[in-house]
Amino acid sequence: MRAEVFNDGLRMRREAHINGLPYVSDGDLSKRVITQAKKAPERAWLCEVSAVVLQQALADLNTAYRNFFASLSGKRKGPKMAAPRFRSRKDARQAIRFTRNARFAVTTGGKLRLLGLTRFAVLSDGRKIDSPRFLRRAEKKLKKAQKALSRTTKGSNNRSKARVKVARAHARVADARRDFAHKLSTQIIRENQTVVMEDLCVRGLARTRLAKSVHDAGWAMVTGLLESKAKRYGRTLVRVDRWFPSSKLCSACGALAEAMPLDVRSRVCLCGAVHDRDVNAAINMLAAGRSDSLNACGGTVRPAA
């Protein structure tokens, strides 16, 4: 997976150079090779991979280019560095690299355990919305601004300026989260007459090890906006009970599995249907929400079996 992202980025920069276009910046390359590429059918599998791994592939490419340019200008000592080359897809070695912000740990059994939220929401039509992680992405700048503030003298003008920088950094994160919540809620309300969502206990999740990720995601803000916009535009909003076994049910035949641990992300039912855990749960919740709602005649949309 890392080889494909690396090669896509290298190909894009080579094509820009051949066509006489400006050098593709790191930020623009990440947007085009990862963010926009996820919408293409041939690169839809990128949504199933941790964004940290994909970003590290581009980081390797950027490092290779910096070393190459530094070698050409003479700033880099030692042997001359060649230009980055395409990685072979025949290489059977599998390797990934995570940053500290990815919150990983090695268990006593030697297994890799990843924490955090990879998906903000999963829709019944199969669309998966990545967790925006606004605070995680701004942590480096926030840490730098906070450190500069702690080094200033209390009551000084420099401390006041540093305090303003910290406040602005936090305000940018809050504004980005609010903008994301408004755009997502508006899109969902405009595209659907009935919106069904799980009645999550956000306060309970905020007490777990995922507390920082839960607060950063802003679920409560999005659910609140969905509720207010549904009333404004005449949409129906249904909340499904959090104890509804949406993940255990087969959306094809209705069979109920005895258990469904969190580490099981896909399921093969006895009827032969193959389900993605989250998509299957979204389909079941939509069906449950429709059966609970009333139609124009006052009866249930889907009669009981």
Side-chain angles (χ1 to χ4, degrees):
M1 69 185 96
R2 295 178 67 245
E4 283 81 355
V5 176
F6 184 95
N7 292 342
D8 288 345
L10 178 58
R11 186 179 301 106
M12 187 169 296
R13 279 181 171 161
R14 283 191 175 185
E15 291 177 354
H17 177 70
I18 293 174
N19 296 326
L21 300 176
Y23 180 80
V24 183
S25 64
D26 297 352
D28 192 24
L29 188 68
S30 175
K31 183 186 299 183
R32 296 163 65 180
V33 174
I34 298 179
T35 306
Q36 296 178 357
K38 290 180 180 179
K39 302 177 182 179
E42 63 273 10
R43 285 290 186 267
W45 55 268
L46 291 174
C47 299
E48 305 294 333
V49 184
S50 172
V52 178
V53 178
L54 305 180
Q55 292 292 346
Q56 287 302 310
L58 290 185
D60 293 341
L61 176 62
N62 297 332
T63 301
Y65 264 108
R66 284 194 293 269
N67 292 338
F68 171 62
F69 292 143
S71 180
L72 288 179
S73 61
K75 295 181 180 179
R76 180 183 174 87
K77 298 181 180 180
K80 294 292 183 180
M81 300 295 294
R85 295 178 295 179
F86 290 106
R87 291 181 175 178
S88 175
R89 296 181 180 179
K90 298 181 181 180
D91 192 349
R93 295 175 297 177
Q94 297 292 332
I96 57 176
R97 192 167 73 255
F98 293 94
T99 60
R100 291 185 179 181
N101 292 336
R103 298 184 64 187
F104 66 92
V106 180
T107 63
T108 54
K111 295 183 178 180
L112 178 67
R113 181 179 65 189
L114 300 176
L115 303 171
L117 302 174
T118 57
R119 298 286 182 267
F120 179 85
V122 178
L123 307 184
S124 58
D125 59 0
R127 285 183 293 171
K128 297 182 179 181
I129 303 173
D130 292 336
S131 182
R133 299 180 180 178
F134 297 111
L135 182 61
R136 298 280 185 191
R137 295 177 179 177
E139 274 184 332
K140 187 175 182 179
K141 293 183 178 179
L142 287 171
K143 185 177 180 180
K144 183 178 180 180
Q146 191 66 44
K147 185 181 292 185
L149 175 62
S150 63
R151 292 176 178 175
T152 58
T153 305
K154 291 184 178 180
S156 63
N157 292 333
N158 288 337
R159 187 173 184 85
S160 300
K161 295 178 182 179
R163 189 184 295 110
V164 171
K165 288 184 179 180
V166 173
R168 286 178 178 174
H170 281 284
R172 282 193 291 268
V173 173
D175 291 341
R177 186 184 295 113
R178 191 179 302 107
D179 180 69
F180 169 80
H182 273 286
K183 289 182 179 178
L184 178 60
S185 59
T186 300
Q187 179 184 0
I188 293 176
I189 290 297
R190 285 180 176 177
E191 293 178 353
N192 304 276
Q193 293 293 329
T194 301
V195 179
V196 182
M197 62 182 181
E198 186 177 359
D199 187 18
L200 287 175
C201 182
V202 180
R203 291 185 178 181
L205 292 172
R207 299 190 188 101
T208 64
R209 291 179 297 179
L210 300 176
K212 192 172 184 179
S213 298
V214 171
H215 287 301
D216 190 16
W219 275 334
M221 182 185 300
V222 174
T223 54
L225 290 173
L226 283 173
E227 188 172 0
S228 62
K229 292 181 181 181
K231 294 179 181 179
R232 184 188 311 169
Y233 297 105
R235 303 296 195 263
T236 301
L237 181 67
V238 181
R239 292 178 181 266
V240 177
D241 189 85
R242 70 192 63 164
W243 303 113
F244 176 70
S246 57
S247 299
K248 297 180 181 180
L249 280 175
C250 174
S251 58
C253 67
L256 181 64
E258 295 182 359
M260 187 64 62
L262 290 176
D263 59 341
V264 178
R265 308 313 304 173
S266 60
R267 171 192 177 187
V268 180
C269 185
L270 294 177
C271 67
V274 181
H275 298 296
D276 178 275
R277 177 194 181 99
D278 297 329
V279 176
N280 178 66
I283 296 174
N284 288 328
M285 281 191 288
L286 177 61
R290 285 176 173 174
S291 64
D292 292 339
S293 62
L294 299 178
N295 58 21
C297 299
T300 56
V301 176
R302 186 180 63 180

